[in-house]
């Protein structure tokens, strides 16, 4: 999952990036409405964590503009404005969820997983493909009930493939899920992760579609 955090408190922004990173989330962050608009126009995110009171304006204006453009990216408002009237206004402006400060990081991560799951039309919190089961809340993988040790990057690659079973995901799409703006992308990183995953979950589980990318193989 790749998330844009729009927050002008640098301490909180650092904490969100570190904490959500431990939950398997790739975080990019900006601190103003202008930078949020530019980021959302240039990059596809799975969800946005948006503060309301920003230095150069209101996050609600960013949200309203996003919805006017028909962008359905899930948005969670994370703000100190937590009165009922504020929450109602935020949700009616187009937010998908609302969380007041102070907040619990585990709850925020769970809410983001729920938003992404609902957007994909899934109700089951687990990702399943044949005998492979991935739990996004614990970043654990099992094959036929047997636990598999996988790195955070490997889990992210497998998650990208299992969220859309049978759909080919290009190398660029997978890289976008793995790396934020300021992370260096090694030229063969995706291939290495795919190789390692095949060794752990079975060589036939991930299919290479020449010239296009990779997909998880569905049971016939």
């Amino acid at each position: 999952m790749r998330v844009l955090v729009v927050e002008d408190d640098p301490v909180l922004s650092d904490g969100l990036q570190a904490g959500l990173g431990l939950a398997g989330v790739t975080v990019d962050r900006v601190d103003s409405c202008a930078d949020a608009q530019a980021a959302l126009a240039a990059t596809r995110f799975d969800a946005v964590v948006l503060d309301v009171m920003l230095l150069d304006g209101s996050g609600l204006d960013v949200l309203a503009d996003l919805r006017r453009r028909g962008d359905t990216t899930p948005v969670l408002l994370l703000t100190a404005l937590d009165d009922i009237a504020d929450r109602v206004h935020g949700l009616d402006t187009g937010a998908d969820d609302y969380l007041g400060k102070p907040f619990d990081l585990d709850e925020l991560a769970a809410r983001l997983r729920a938003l992404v799951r609902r957007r994909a039309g899934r109700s089951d919190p687990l990702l399943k493909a044949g005998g492979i089961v991935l739990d996004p809340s614990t970043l654990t993988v099992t094959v036929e009930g047997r636990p598999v040790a996988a790195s955070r990057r490997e889990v992210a690659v497998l998650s990208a493939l299992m969220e859309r079973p049978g759909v080919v995901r290009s190398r660029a799409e997978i890289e976008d899920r793995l790396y934020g703006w300021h992370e260096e992308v090694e030229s063969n990183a995706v291939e290495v992760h795919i190789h390692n995953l095949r060794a752990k979950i079975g060589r036939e589980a991930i299919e290479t579609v020449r010239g296009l990318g990779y997909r998880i193989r569905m049971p016939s």
Side-chain angles (χ1 to χ4, degrees), residues 29-199:
R29 53 182 183 160
V30 295
D31 60 4
S32 68
C33 294
D35 286 346
Q37 300 276 23
L40 289 165
T43 305
R44 180 189 178 280
F45 295 95
D46 295 301
V48 180
V49 176
L50 178 62
D51 191 9
V52 172
M53 296 181 292
L54 296 165
L55 294 176
D56 62 342
S58 171
L60 293 178
D61 292 335
V62 176
L63 173 60
D65 183 66
L66 195 69
R67 296 306 183 230
R68 273 196 298 272
R69 292 190 281 109
D71 192 322
T72 60
T73 302
V75 174
L76 183 151
L77 292 176
L78 184 66
T79 172
L81 299 175
D82 197 30
D83 291 340
I84 291 177
D86 294 320
R87 282 181 267 159
V88 169
H89 182 52
L91 292 168
D92 282 345
T93 301
D96 300 274
D97 201 356
Y98 202 107
L99 190 58
K101 299 175 182 175
F103 62 95
D104 183 273
L105 192 57
D106 287 340
E107 180 183 0
L108 173 61
R111 286 174 181 260
L112 289 173
R113 287 192 294 271
L115 289 177
V116 172
R117 186 169 68 238
R118 284 202 295 271
R119 188 192 192 197
R122 293 187 292 108
S123 56
D124 191 339
L126 302 178
L127 297 170
K128 300 174 182 175
I132 305 169
V133 178
L134 190 158
D135 186 343
S137 69
T138 59
L139 304 180
T140 55
V141 179
T142 61
V143 178
E144 305 296 348
R146 173 179 54 86
V148 171
S151 69
R152 186 175 72 84
R153 300 277 198 207
E154 290 166 0
V155 171
V157 171
L158 189 58
S159 177
L161 298 175
M162 292 182 68
E163 286 172 0
R164 303 179 67 189
V167 174
V168 177
R169 305 296 296 264
S170 69
R171 173 177 157 179
E173 285 181 283
I174 296 173
E175 286 177 346
D176 283 345
R177 290 287 299 270
L178 294 179
Y179 300 99
W181 292 328
H182 303 298
E183 294 180 277
E184 184 176 353
V185 182
E186 297 179 16
S187 61
N188 64 341
V190 170
E191 287 81 358
V192 171
H193 293 314
I194 293 287
H195 172 81
N196 292 339
L197 279 169
R198 282 173 168 154

